[in-house]
Structures are given as structure tokens and as C-alpha cells.
Short mmCIF file of all heavy atoms in Angstrom, two decimals:
data_model
loop_
_atom_site.label_atom_id
_atom_site.label_comp_id
_atom_site.label_asym_id
_atom_site.label_seq_id
_atom_site.Cartn_x
_atom_site.Cartn_y
_atom_site.Cartn_z
N MET A 1 104.91 119.78 122.51
CA MET A 1 105.59 119.10 121.43
C MET A 1 105.38 119.91 120.16
O MET A 1 104.25 120.18 119.76
CB MET A 1 105.04 117.69 121.32
CG MET A 1 105.69 116.87 120.25
SD MET A 1 104.87 115.29 120.05
CE MET A 1 106.00 114.26 120.91
N SER A 2 106.45 120.28 119.49
CA SER A 2 106.33 121.14 118.32
C SER A 2 106.04 120.38 117.04
O SER A 2 105.55 120.94 116.09
CB SER A 2 107.61 121.96 118.15
OG SER A 2 108.69 121.09 117.91
N GLY A 3 106.37 119.10 116.97
CA GLY A 3 106.12 118.34 115.76
C GLY A 3 106.53 116.89 115.93
O GLY A 3 107.13 116.52 116.93
N ILE A 4 106.18 116.09 114.96
CA ILE A 4 106.51 114.67 114.99
C ILE A 4 107.30 114.35 113.74
O ILE A 4 106.92 114.72 112.64
CB ILE A 4 105.22 113.82 115.05
CG1 ILE A 4 104.48 114.08 116.35
CG2 ILE A 4 105.55 112.35 114.91
CD1 ILE A 4 103.16 113.37 116.44
N ASN A 5 108.41 113.67 113.93
CA ASN A 5 109.21 113.19 112.80
C ASN A 5 108.88 111.73 112.57
O ASN A 5 108.75 110.96 113.52
CB ASN A 5 110.70 113.33 113.08
CG ASN A 5 111.12 114.78 113.11
OD1 ASN A 5 110.57 115.60 112.39
ND2 ASN A 5 112.07 115.09 113.94
N LYS A 6 108.74 111.34 111.31
CA LYS A 6 108.39 109.97 110.98
C LYS A 6 109.28 109.50 109.85
O LYS A 6 109.49 110.23 108.87
CB LYS A 6 106.93 109.91 110.55
CG LYS A 6 106.43 108.54 110.20
CD LYS A 6 104.96 108.62 109.83
CE LYS A 6 104.40 107.27 109.52
NZ LYS A 6 102.96 107.35 109.18
N ALA A 7 109.83 108.30 110.00
CA ALA A 7 110.65 107.71 108.95
C ALA A 7 110.13 106.32 108.65
O ALA A 7 109.77 105.57 109.56
CB ALA A 7 112.10 107.64 109.39
N ILE A 8 110.08 105.97 107.40
CA ILE A 8 109.69 104.63 106.99
C ILE A 8 110.93 103.99 106.38
O ILE A 8 111.45 104.48 105.37
CB ILE A 8 108.53 104.66 105.99
CG1 ILE A 8 107.30 105.28 106.64
CG2 ILE A 8 108.23 103.25 105.48
CD1 ILE A 8 106.15 105.51 105.69
N ILE A 9 111.40 102.93 107.01
CA ILE A 9 112.59 102.22 106.55
C ILE A 9 112.16 100.84 106.08
O ILE A 9 111.63 100.05 106.85
CB ILE A 9 113.64 102.11 107.67
CG1 ILE A 9 114.07 103.51 108.13
CG2 ILE A 9 114.85 101.30 107.21
CD1 ILE A 9 114.98 103.52 109.32
N ILE A 10 112.39 100.58 104.80
CA ILE A 10 112.05 99.28 104.22
C ILE A 10 113.36 98.63 103.81
O ILE A 10 114.09 99.16 102.98
CB ILE A 10 111.10 99.43 103.02
CG1 ILE A 10 109.81 100.11 103.46
CG2 ILE A 10 110.82 98.07 102.39
CD1 ILE A 10 108.88 100.45 102.34
N GLY A 11 113.65 97.50 104.42
CA GLY A 11 114.91 96.83 104.13
C GLY A 11 114.89 95.41 104.64
O GLY A 11 113.83 94.80 104.80
N ARG A 12 116.08 94.91 104.91
CA ARG A 12 116.23 93.54 105.38
C ARG A 12 116.73 93.54 106.82
O ARG A 12 117.62 94.32 107.17
CB ARG A 12 117.21 92.77 104.50
CG ARG A 12 116.70 92.62 103.08
CD ARG A 12 117.68 91.81 102.26
NE ARG A 12 117.22 91.69 100.89
CZ ARG A 12 116.54 90.66 100.43
NH1 ARG A 12 116.24 89.65 101.23
NH2 ARG A 12 116.17 90.62 99.18
N LEU A 13 116.17 92.64 107.61
CA LEU A 13 116.55 92.50 109.00
C LEU A 13 117.92 91.84 109.07
O LEU A 13 118.17 90.81 108.45
CB LEU A 13 115.50 91.66 109.73
CG LEU A 13 115.52 91.63 111.23
CD1 LEU A 13 115.30 93.04 111.79
CD2 LEU A 13 114.43 90.70 111.75
N GLY A 14 118.85 92.46 109.82
CA GLY A 14 120.21 91.93 109.92
C GLY A 14 120.32 90.71 110.82
O GLY A 14 121.10 89.81 110.55
N ALA A 15 119.54 90.65 111.88
CA ALA A 15 119.54 89.53 112.82
C ALA A 15 118.23 89.58 113.60
O ALA A 15 117.47 90.54 113.50
CB ALA A 15 120.72 89.64 113.78
N ASP A 16 117.97 88.54 114.38
CA ASP A 16 116.77 88.55 115.21
C ASP A 16 116.84 89.71 116.20
O ASP A 16 117.92 90.04 116.69
CB ASP A 16 116.65 87.24 115.99
CG ASP A 16 116.33 86.05 115.08
OD1 ASP A 16 115.96 86.29 113.92
OD2 ASP A 16 116.46 84.91 115.56
N PRO A 17 115.72 90.33 116.51
CA PRO A 17 115.71 91.44 117.46
C PRO A 17 116.16 90.98 118.85
O PRO A 17 115.90 89.85 119.26
CB PRO A 17 114.25 91.88 117.51
CG PRO A 17 113.60 91.29 116.32
CD PRO A 17 114.37 90.08 115.98
N GLU A 18 116.82 91.87 119.53
CA GLU A 18 117.22 91.63 120.92
C GLU A 18 116.19 92.32 121.81
O GLU A 18 116.08 93.53 121.82
CB GLU A 18 118.61 92.21 121.18
CG GLU A 18 119.06 92.08 122.61
CD GLU A 18 120.36 92.81 122.85
OE1 GLU A 18 121.25 92.78 121.99
OE2 GLU A 18 120.47 93.45 123.92
N VAL A 19 115.41 91.52 122.54
CA VAL A 19 114.36 92.07 123.40
C VAL A 19 114.80 91.89 124.85
O VAL A 19 115.22 90.80 125.26
CB VAL A 19 113.01 91.36 123.17
CG1 VAL A 19 111.93 91.96 124.06
CG2 VAL A 19 112.60 91.46 121.71
N ARG A 20 114.73 92.96 125.61
CA ARG A 20 115.10 92.89 127.02
C ARG A 20 114.13 93.74 127.83
O ARG A 20 113.36 94.51 127.27
CB ARG A 20 116.54 93.36 127.23
CG ARG A 20 116.78 94.80 126.87
CD ARG A 20 118.26 95.16 126.94
NE ARG A 20 118.47 96.56 126.77
CZ ARG A 20 118.44 97.22 125.63
NH1 ARG A 20 118.17 96.57 124.52
NH2 ARG A 20 118.64 98.51 125.58
N GLN A 21 114.18 93.54 129.14
CA GLN A 21 113.31 94.28 130.04
C GLN A 21 114.17 95.21 130.88
O GLN A 21 115.16 94.79 131.46
CB GLN A 21 112.54 93.31 130.94
CG GLN A 21 111.44 93.96 131.73
CD GLN A 21 110.51 92.93 132.35
OE1 GLN A 21 110.55 91.76 132.01
NE2 GLN A 21 109.69 93.37 133.26
N VAL A 22 113.81 96.49 130.92
CA VAL A 22 114.55 97.47 131.70
C VAL A 22 114.02 97.47 133.14
O VAL A 22 113.00 96.87 133.44
CB VAL A 22 114.48 98.87 131.06
CG1 VAL A 22 115.20 98.89 129.73
CG2 VAL A 22 113.07 99.34 130.89
N SER A 23 114.72 98.18 134.00
CA SER A 23 114.39 98.16 135.43
C SER A 23 112.98 98.66 135.74
O SER A 23 112.38 98.27 136.73
CB SER A 23 115.42 98.98 136.21
OG SER A 23 115.42 100.32 135.75
N SER A 24 112.42 99.51 134.88
CA SER A 24 111.07 100.03 135.11
C SER A 24 109.99 99.02 134.73
O SER A 24 108.81 99.26 134.95
CB SER A 24 110.86 101.32 134.32
OG SER A 24 110.93 101.06 132.94
N GLY A 25 110.40 97.90 134.12
CA GLY A 25 109.44 96.88 133.71
C GLY A 25 109.07 96.94 132.25
O GLY A 25 108.42 96.03 131.72
N ASN A 26 109.44 98.01 131.56
CA ASN A 26 109.16 98.14 130.13
C ASN A 26 110.07 97.23 129.32
O ASN A 26 111.19 96.96 129.69
CB ASN A 26 109.37 99.58 129.65
CG ASN A 26 108.27 100.50 130.10
OD1 ASN A 26 107.16 100.07 130.36
ND2 ASN A 26 108.58 101.78 130.19
N ARG A 27 109.57 96.79 128.18
CA ARG A 27 110.38 95.99 127.26
C ARG A 27 110.97 96.90 126.19
O ARG A 27 110.35 97.87 125.76
CB ARG A 27 109.53 94.92 126.60
CG ARG A 27 109.05 93.87 127.57
CD ARG A 27 109.02 92.53 126.87
NE ARG A 27 108.49 91.52 127.74
CZ ARG A 27 109.27 90.64 128.38
NH1 ARG A 27 110.57 90.68 128.24
NH2 ARG A 27 108.74 89.73 129.15
N VAL A 28 112.19 96.55 125.77
CA VAL A 28 112.89 97.29 124.74
C VAL A 28 113.42 96.29 123.71
O VAL A 28 114.01 95.28 124.08
CB VAL A 28 114.08 98.09 125.32
CG1 VAL A 28 114.83 98.82 124.23
CG2 VAL A 28 113.62 99.04 126.39
N ALA A 29 113.19 96.56 122.43
CA ALA A 29 113.71 95.72 121.35
C ALA A 29 114.69 96.54 120.53
O ALA A 29 114.41 97.69 120.17
CB ALA A 29 112.59 95.21 120.47
N THR A 30 115.84 95.96 120.25
CA THR A 30 116.85 96.59 119.41
C THR A 30 117.06 95.71 118.19
O THR A 30 117.25 94.50 118.32
CB THR A 30 118.18 96.74 120.17
OG1 THR A 30 117.93 97.45 121.38
CG2 THR A 30 119.20 97.50 119.34
N LEU A 31 117.01 96.32 117.00
CA LEU A 31 117.23 95.55 115.79
C LEU A 31 117.96 96.40 114.76
O LEU A 31 117.98 97.62 114.85
CB LEU A 31 115.90 95.03 115.23
CG LEU A 31 114.78 96.03 115.02
CD1 LEU A 31 114.30 95.99 113.59
CD2 LEU A 31 113.65 95.71 115.96
N SER A 32 118.56 95.72 113.79
CA SER A 32 119.27 96.40 112.71
C SER A 32 118.60 96.08 111.38
O SER A 32 118.28 94.92 111.10
CB SER A 32 120.73 95.94 112.65
OG SER A 32 121.40 96.32 113.82
N VAL A 33 118.41 97.12 110.57
CA VAL A 33 117.80 96.97 109.26
C VAL A 33 118.77 97.51 108.21
O VAL A 33 119.31 98.61 108.37
CB VAL A 33 116.45 97.73 109.17
CG1 VAL A 33 115.84 97.61 107.80
CG2 VAL A 33 115.49 97.23 110.24
N ALA A 34 118.99 96.72 107.15
CA ALA A 34 119.89 97.13 106.08
C ALA A 34 119.07 97.63 104.89
O ALA A 34 118.09 96.99 104.49
CB ALA A 34 120.77 95.97 105.64
N THR A 35 119.47 98.77 104.33
CA THR A 35 118.88 99.25 103.09
C THR A 35 120.01 99.39 102.08
O THR A 35 121.12 99.79 102.42
CB THR A 35 118.19 100.62 103.27
OG1 THR A 35 119.11 101.57 103.79
CG2 THR A 35 117.00 100.50 104.21
N SER A 36 119.72 99.02 100.84
CA SER A 36 120.75 99.04 99.80
C SER A 36 120.33 99.94 98.64
O SER A 36 119.14 100.08 98.34
CB SER A 36 121.01 97.63 99.26
OG SER A 36 121.53 96.82 100.27
N GLU A 37 121.32 100.51 98.01
CA GLU A 37 121.11 101.37 96.84
C GLU A 37 122.04 100.86 95.75
O GLU A 37 123.22 100.64 95.99
CB GLU A 37 121.46 102.81 97.21
CG GLU A 37 121.38 103.78 96.08
CD GLU A 37 121.81 105.18 96.48
OE1 GLU A 37 122.36 105.36 97.58
OE2 GLU A 37 121.61 106.10 95.67
N LYS A 38 121.49 100.62 94.56
CA LYS A 38 122.29 100.14 93.43
C LYS A 38 122.20 101.16 92.29
O LYS A 38 121.15 101.72 92.04
CB LYS A 38 121.77 98.80 92.93
CG LYS A 38 121.94 97.68 93.93
CD LYS A 38 121.40 96.38 93.38
CE LYS A 38 121.50 95.29 94.44
NZ LYS A 38 121.01 94.01 93.96
N TRP A 39 123.33 101.38 91.63
CA TRP A 39 123.36 102.30 90.50
C TRP A 39 124.54 101.95 89.60
O TRP A 39 125.41 101.16 89.96
CB TRP A 39 123.45 103.74 90.98
CG TRP A 39 124.78 104.14 91.54
CD1 TRP A 39 125.80 104.75 90.87
CD2 TRP A 39 125.25 103.95 92.88
NE1 TRP A 39 126.86 104.95 91.71
CE2 TRP A 39 126.55 104.46 92.96
CE3 TRP A 39 124.71 103.38 94.03
CZ2 TRP A 39 127.31 104.43 94.12
CZ3 TRP A 39 125.47 103.36 95.18
CH2 TRP A 39 126.74 103.88 95.22
N THR A 40 124.56 102.56 88.43
CA THR A 40 125.67 102.40 87.48
C THR A 40 126.42 103.72 87.43
O THR A 40 125.82 104.77 87.21
CB THR A 40 125.14 102.03 86.08
OG1 THR A 40 124.34 100.85 86.19
CG2 THR A 40 126.28 101.77 85.12
N ASP A 41 127.74 103.66 87.64
CA ASP A 41 128.52 104.90 87.65
C ASP A 41 128.82 105.36 86.23
O ASP A 41 128.39 104.76 85.25
CB ASP A 41 129.79 104.73 88.48
CG ASP A 41 130.76 103.71 87.90
OD1 ASP A 41 130.57 103.26 86.76
OD2 ASP A 41 131.73 103.37 88.60
N ARG A 42 129.55 106.45 86.10
CA ARG A 42 129.84 107.05 84.79
C ARG A 42 130.62 106.12 83.87
O ARG A 42 130.55 106.22 82.65
CB ARG A 42 130.62 108.34 84.98
CG ARG A 42 129.82 109.42 85.63
CD ARG A 42 130.64 110.66 85.82
NE ARG A 42 129.88 111.65 86.57
CZ ARG A 42 130.40 112.70 87.14
NH1 ARG A 42 131.70 112.92 87.06
NH2 ARG A 42 129.64 113.55 87.80
N ASP A 43 131.40 105.20 84.48
CA ASP A 43 132.21 104.27 83.70
C ASP A 43 131.44 103.01 83.31
O ASP A 43 131.99 102.11 82.69
CB ASP A 43 133.46 103.86 84.49
CG ASP A 43 134.34 105.07 84.80
OD1 ASP A 43 134.38 106.01 83.98
OD2 ASP A 43 134.98 105.06 85.87
N GLY A 44 130.18 102.92 83.68
CA GLY A 44 129.36 101.76 83.36
C GLY A 44 129.50 100.62 84.36
O GLY A 44 128.96 99.54 84.13
N GLN A 45 130.19 100.85 85.47
CA GLN A 45 130.37 99.82 86.49
C GLN A 45 129.20 99.84 87.47
O GLN A 45 128.76 100.90 87.90
CB GLN A 45 131.67 100.06 87.27
CG GLN A 45 132.92 100.00 86.43
CD GLN A 45 133.16 98.59 85.90
OE1 GLN A 45 132.99 97.62 86.62
NE2 GLN A 45 133.56 98.50 84.63
N ALA A 46 128.72 98.64 87.80
CA ALA A 46 127.63 98.53 88.78
C ALA A 46 128.17 98.83 90.17
O ALA A 46 129.24 98.32 90.56
CB ALA A 46 127.03 97.14 88.74
N GLN A 47 127.47 99.66 90.91
CA GLN A 47 127.86 100.03 92.27
C GLN A 47 126.71 99.70 93.22
O GLN A 47 125.55 99.72 92.83
CB GLN A 47 128.16 101.54 92.36
CG GLN A 47 129.27 102.00 91.45
CD GLN A 47 130.62 101.51 91.90
OE1 GLN A 47 130.91 101.43 93.08
NE2 GLN A 47 131.46 101.17 90.94
N GLU A 48 127.08 99.42 94.47
CA GLU A 48 126.07 99.16 95.49
C GLU A 48 126.56 99.70 96.82
O GLU A 48 127.74 99.57 97.16
CB GLU A 48 125.79 97.66 95.62
CG GLU A 48 124.74 97.34 96.65
CD GLU A 48 124.41 95.86 96.71
OE1 GLU A 48 125.06 95.06 96.03
OE2 GLU A 48 123.48 95.53 97.46
N ARG A 49 125.66 100.33 97.56
CA ARG A 49 125.98 100.85 98.89
C ARG A 49 124.90 100.38 99.86
O ARG A 49 123.71 100.50 99.58
CB ARG A 49 126.04 102.37 98.88
CG ARG A 49 126.31 102.95 100.26
CD ARG A 49 126.46 104.46 100.26
NE ARG A 49 125.37 105.12 99.55
CZ ARG A 49 125.52 106.20 98.80
NH1 ARG A 49 126.72 106.75 98.64
NH2 ARG A 49 124.49 106.76 98.20
N THR A 50 125.32 99.82 100.98
CA THR A 50 124.40 99.35 102.01
C THR A 50 124.56 100.21 103.25
O THR A 50 125.68 100.46 103.69
CB THR A 50 124.69 97.87 102.35
OG1 THR A 50 124.55 97.09 101.17
CG2 THR A 50 123.73 97.38 103.42
N GLU A 51 123.45 100.65 103.79
CA GLU A 51 123.44 101.41 105.04
C GLU A 51 122.70 100.61 106.09
O GLU A 51 121.68 99.99 105.80
CB GLU A 51 122.73 102.76 104.86
CG GLU A 51 123.51 103.75 104.04
CD GLU A 51 122.84 105.11 104.06
OE1 GLU A 51 122.53 105.61 105.17
OE2 GLU A 51 122.63 105.66 102.98
N TRP A 52 123.23 100.62 107.32
CA TRP A 52 122.61 99.92 108.44
C TRP A 52 121.92 100.94 109.33
O TRP A 52 122.49 101.97 109.66
CB TRP A 52 123.64 99.12 109.22
CG TRP A 52 124.09 97.92 108.46
CD1 TRP A 52 125.15 97.82 107.62
CD2 TRP A 52 123.45 96.64 108.46
NE1 TRP A 52 125.21 96.56 107.09
CE2 TRP A 52 124.19 95.81 107.59
CE3 TRP A 52 122.33 96.12 109.10
CZ2 TRP A 52 123.84 94.49 107.36
CZ3 TRP A 52 121.99 94.80 108.87
CH2 TRP A 52 122.74 94.00 108.01
N HIS A 53 120.69 100.63 109.72
CA HIS A 53 119.89 101.50 110.57
C HIS A 53 119.60 100.76 111.87
O HIS A 53 119.11 99.63 111.84
CB HIS A 53 118.57 101.87 109.89
CG HIS A 53 118.76 102.40 108.50
ND1 HIS A 53 118.99 103.74 108.26
CD2 HIS A 53 118.77 101.78 107.31
CE1 HIS A 53 119.12 103.91 106.96
NE2 HIS A 53 118.99 102.74 106.36
N ARG A 54 119.90 101.38 112.99
CA ARG A 54 119.61 100.79 114.29
C ARG A 54 118.23 101.29 114.73
O ARG A 54 117.99 102.50 114.80
CB ARG A 54 120.67 101.21 115.30
CG ARG A 54 120.49 100.55 116.62
CD ARG A 54 121.67 100.87 117.52
NE ARG A 54 121.47 100.23 118.80
CZ ARG A 54 121.98 100.67 119.92
NH1 ARG A 54 122.76 101.72 119.91
NH2 ARG A 54 121.74 100.04 121.04
N VAL A 55 117.35 100.34 115.01
CA VAL A 55 115.97 100.66 115.38
C VAL A 55 115.73 100.21 116.81
O VAL A 55 116.10 99.11 117.19
CB VAL A 55 114.97 99.95 114.43
CG1 VAL A 55 113.54 100.27 114.81
CG2 VAL A 55 115.24 100.35 112.98
N ILE A 56 115.11 101.07 117.61
CA ILE A 56 114.78 100.74 118.99
C ILE A 56 113.29 100.92 119.17
O ILE A 56 112.73 101.97 118.85
CB ILE A 56 115.55 101.65 119.98
CG1 ILE A 56 117.05 101.46 119.78
CG2 ILE A 56 115.15 101.34 121.41
CD1 ILE A 56 117.90 102.43 120.56
N ALA A 57 112.63 99.87 119.66
CA ALA A 57 111.19 99.89 119.89
C ALA A 57 110.92 99.67 121.37
O ALA A 57 111.65 98.93 122.04
CB ALA A 57 110.50 98.81 119.06
N TRP A 58 109.88 100.31 121.87
CA TRP A 58 109.55 100.25 123.30
C TRP A 58 108.16 99.67 123.50
O TRP A 58 107.29 99.77 122.64
CB TRP A 58 109.57 101.65 123.90
CG TRP A 58 110.94 102.24 123.99
CD1 TRP A 58 111.59 102.92 122.99
CD2 TRP A 58 111.82 102.20 125.09
NE1 TRP A 58 112.82 103.31 123.43
CE2 TRP A 58 112.99 102.88 124.72
CE3 TRP A 58 111.73 101.66 126.37
CZ2 TRP A 58 114.06 103.04 125.57
CZ3 TRP A 58 112.81 101.81 127.23
CH2 TRP A 58 113.96 102.50 126.83
N GLY A 59 107.93 99.09 124.68
CA GLY A 59 106.60 98.66 125.11
C GLY A 59 106.02 97.54 124.27
O GLY A 59 106.69 96.55 123.95
N LYS A 60 104.75 97.70 123.92
CA LYS A 60 104.02 96.68 123.16
C LYS A 60 104.64 96.46 121.79
O LYS A 60 104.69 95.33 121.30
CB LYS A 60 102.55 97.09 123.04
CG LYS A 60 101.67 96.05 122.42
CD LYS A 60 101.52 94.85 123.31
CE LYS A 60 100.50 93.88 122.73
NZ LYS A 60 100.44 92.63 123.45
N VAL A 61 105.14 97.52 121.18
CA VAL A 61 105.79 97.39 119.86
C VAL A 61 107.04 96.52 119.98
O VAL A 61 107.32 95.70 119.11
CB VAL A 61 106.13 98.78 119.27
CG1 VAL A 61 106.90 98.64 117.98
CG2 VAL A 61 104.87 99.58 119.06
N ALA A 62 107.78 96.64 121.07
CA ALA A 62 108.97 95.81 121.30
C ALA A 62 108.58 94.34 121.41
O ALA A 62 109.25 93.46 120.86
CB ALA A 62 109.70 96.27 122.55
N GLU A 63 107.49 94.06 122.12
CA GLU A 63 107.02 92.68 122.25
C GLU A 63 106.62 92.11 120.89
O GLU A 63 106.93 90.96 120.57
CB GLU A 63 105.84 92.62 123.21
CG GLU A 63 106.18 92.95 124.64
CD GLU A 63 104.96 92.98 125.56
OE1 GLU A 63 103.98 92.28 125.25
OE2 GLU A 63 105.00 93.71 126.55
N ILE A 64 105.95 92.92 120.08
CA ILE A 64 105.53 92.46 118.75
C ILE A 64 106.75 92.21 117.86
O ILE A 64 106.80 91.21 117.13
CB ILE A 64 104.57 93.50 118.12
CG1 ILE A 64 103.27 93.53 118.89
CG2 ILE A 64 104.32 93.20 116.63
CD1 ILE A 64 102.34 94.68 118.53
N CYS A 65 107.75 93.07 117.93
CA CYS A 65 108.98 92.88 117.16
C CYS A 65 109.65 91.56 117.55
O CYS A 65 110.09 90.80 116.69
CB CYS A 65 109.95 94.02 117.39
SG CYS A 65 109.48 95.57 116.61
N GLY A 66 109.73 91.30 118.84
CA GLY A 66 110.36 90.08 119.31
C GLY A 66 109.60 88.83 118.88
O GLY A 66 110.20 87.77 118.63
N LYS A 67 108.29 88.94 118.77
CA LYS A 67 107.46 87.80 118.43
C LYS A 67 107.46 87.50 116.93
O LYS A 67 107.52 86.35 116.52
CB LYS A 67 106.03 88.06 118.91
CG LYS A 67 105.09 86.90 118.74
CD LYS A 67 103.74 87.20 119.36
CE LYS A 67 102.79 86.02 119.20
NZ LYS A 67 101.48 86.32 119.78
N PHE A 68 107.37 88.54 116.10
CA PHE A 68 107.17 88.33 114.68
C PHE A 68 108.40 88.56 113.80
O PHE A 68 108.40 88.14 112.64
CB PHE A 68 106.03 89.23 114.19
CG PHE A 68 104.69 88.85 114.76
CD1 PHE A 68 104.09 89.63 115.72
CD2 PHE A 68 104.04 87.71 114.33
CE1 PHE A 68 102.86 89.29 116.25
CE2 PHE A 68 102.83 87.34 114.85
CZ PHE A 68 102.23 88.14 115.83
N LEU A 69 109.41 89.24 114.26
CA LEU A 69 110.59 89.52 113.43
C LEU A 69 111.72 88.57 113.78
O LEU A 69 112.62 88.89 114.53
CB LEU A 69 111.04 90.97 113.61
CG LEU A 69 110.03 92.04 113.22
CD1 LEU A 69 110.62 93.42 113.49
CD2 LEU A 69 109.62 91.90 111.78
N ALA A 70 111.65 87.39 113.24
CA ALA A 70 112.70 86.39 113.50
C ALA A 70 113.03 85.66 112.22
O ALA A 70 112.26 85.60 111.31
CB ALA A 70 112.26 85.41 114.57
#
């Protein structure tokens, strides 16, 4: 492994996580997190942009997401 990439996303949960079990027995959680950016443009108008991030968690982390992120 040449390196590890790490991202910290702080935002709002779009819906309750979807937790399922795959054929190997592992649990997988899928969730969406929204992050927003607000600014004032050159004309003095307030602008806002929201980006949605799809997050996938595996194993014990998936179980914790399903339990506490609701």
C-alpha cells in the first residue's frame, strides 16, 4: 500500500443510513451527507451551493452507523 487517503466530511445527514448484509456476512451501511457553502457574489447577492456525498461504511463501523445515525 503506497499511502492512505483520508477525508473528513462534516455536514447534515440526508436520511437514515441503509444497512444491509452482503453474501459474505459483512454488514454495509450507505448514507448521504450534505455539505453547504454560502457566499456573497460580486453583485451583493447571497449564494448557496449544496453538495451531496455518498458514504459507504463496512463491518463494525456500518453497524455503529445504523445504530447511532438516525
Side-chain angles (χ1 to χ4, degrees):
M1 181 186 258
S2 63
I4 295 176
N5 291 327
K6 181 178 182 179
I8 298 173
I9 299 174
I10 300 173
R12 296 182 181 264
L13 194 60
D16 291 347
E18 176 187 320
V19 181
R20 64 187 187 283
Q21 191 167 347
V22 294
S23 59
S24 64
N26 286 335
R27 293 215 183 258
V28 178
T30 305
L31 52 125
S32 295
V33 178
T35 57
S36 296
E37 176 183 11
K38 295 180 183 180
W39 72 95
T40 304
D41 64 11
R42 292 179 185 164
D43 299 327
Q45 298 293 318
Q47 300 289 323
E48 181 176 5
R49 177 176 50 217
T50 301
E51 289 188 50
W52 287 92
H53 309 273
R54 185 173 179 206
V55 179
I56 300 172
W58 291 85
K60 187 68 174 172
V61 175
E63 293 176 27
I64 292 169
C65 288
K67 185 175 181 181
F68 293 108
L69 299 179

